[in-house]
C-alpha cells in the first residue's frame, strides 16, 4: 500500500474510537514505557503533546516532568524546535497544528537526549515509521543517537510500511497491546 492510502485507512480506524477510548488504550502504552529499562535510566526525554487522534500523552508528560527533563517539539515553519516543558500552564497553541507547545527555553544539544518518544501514523514490525508526511521528526531523529521509541495503538502496528531513504527507524515500538 502507498503511504497516502495507509494514512487514510488509519485515520478511518481512529474515527471509530472516542477520545475516552483512546485515553484508556493509551494507559497500557505508558505502563510499558514506564517499565522500559531505557526509559527508567533516561534523564532527558523528548516526548510530544498529543493531538486527539494520538496516544494520549498529557498526563504522562506532566507526571514525569517532576523526575526527568521533559522536552517537547514546537513546529516553526518547516522545522521542529525543541523546548523545555515547564508545566501545562506554560503551553500556548502552536503554529503548525495548533497543538499546545512550550514557549520557554530552547533546547539545542540533541546529544543530551536519552530517549525520544515518537508519534506516528503507523509503524511496522521491522521498526519503520510512517509519519504525517512533513518530515519533521525524520530531521530530528537523524541527528541524534538517542533511543527512539515509537508509540502507537495496536491498529497502527502493521506488518510492513513503505519506506524511503530519509526515513529513520525506531529502536523499539510500543503499542497498546
Amino acid at each position: 500500500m502507498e503511504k497516502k492510502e495507509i494514512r487514510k485507512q488509519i485515520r478511518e480506524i481512529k474515527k471509530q474510537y472516542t477520545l475516552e477510548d483512546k485515553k484508556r488504550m493509551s494507559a497500557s502504552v505508558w505502563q510499558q514505557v514506564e517499565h522500559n529499562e531505557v526509559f527508567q535510566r533516561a534523564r532527558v526525554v523528548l516526548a510530544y503533546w498529543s493531538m486527539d487522534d494520538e496516544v494520549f500523552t498529557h498526563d504522562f508528560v506532566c507526571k514525569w516532568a517532576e523526575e526527568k527533563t521533559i522536552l517537547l517539539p514546537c513546529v516553526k515553519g518547516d522545522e521542529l524546535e525543541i523546548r523545555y516543558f515547564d508545566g501545562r500552564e506554560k503551553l500556548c497553541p502552536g503554529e503548525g497544528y495548533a497543538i499546545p507547545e512550550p514557549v520557554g527555553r530552547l533546547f539545542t544539544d540533541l546529544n543530551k537526549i536519552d530517549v525520544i518518544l515518537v508519534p506516528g501514523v503507523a509503524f511496522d514490525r521491522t521498526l519503520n515509521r510512517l509519519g504525517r508526511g512533513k518530515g519533521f521528526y525524520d530531521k530530528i531523529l537523524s541527528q541524534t543517537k538517542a533511543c527512539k521509541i515509537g508509540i502507537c495503538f495496536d491498529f497502527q502496528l502493521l506488518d510492513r510500511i513503505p519506506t524511503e531513504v530519509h526515513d529513520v527507524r525506531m529502536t523499539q515500538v510500543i503499542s497498546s497491546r
Side-chain angles (χ1 to χ4, degrees), residues 44-156:
V44 179
V45 177
L46 173 56
Y48 63 98
W49 197 260
S50 57
M51 294 190 287
D52 287 351
D53 69 340
E54 295 176 318
V55 172
F56 184 76
T57 63
H58 305 187
D59 297 339
F60 179 85
V61 166
C62 291
K63 172 185 177 180
W64 285 101
E66 296 175 17
E67 294 184 39
K68 299 177 184 288
T69 299
I70 300 291
L71 309 169
L72 296 177
C74 303
V75 176
K76 298 296 177 207
D78 291 337
E79 303 291 325
L80 281 185
E81 285 183 352
I82 299 173
R83 294 191 178 271
Y84 289 88
F85 173 76
D86 292 320
R88 190 184 292 252
E89 64 284 348
K90 293 187 181 174
L91 298 174
C92 289
E95 68 179 52
Y97 295 91
I99 304 166
E101 297 176 344
V103 293
R105 299 170 293 150
L106 191 62
F107 182 90
T108 57
D109 191 353
L110 298 179
N111 292 322
K112 290 194 175 171
I113 300 173
D114 299 309
V115 171
I116 303 175
L117 302 173
V118 188
V121 172
F123 296 88
D124 71 17
R125 302 199 185 282
T126 57
L127 306 177
N128 292 303
R129 172 184 173 271
L130 175 65
R132 293 184 187 267
K134 302 280 187 183
F136 289 131
Y137 270 91
D138 286 320
K139 291 173 191 169
I140 296 264
L141 297 173
S142 66
Q143 297 176 47
T144 178
K145 291 183 174 23
C147 177
K148 300 156 185 74
I149 302 177
I151 302 295
C152 66
F153 298 115
D154 272 354
F155 58 81
Q156 294 174 278

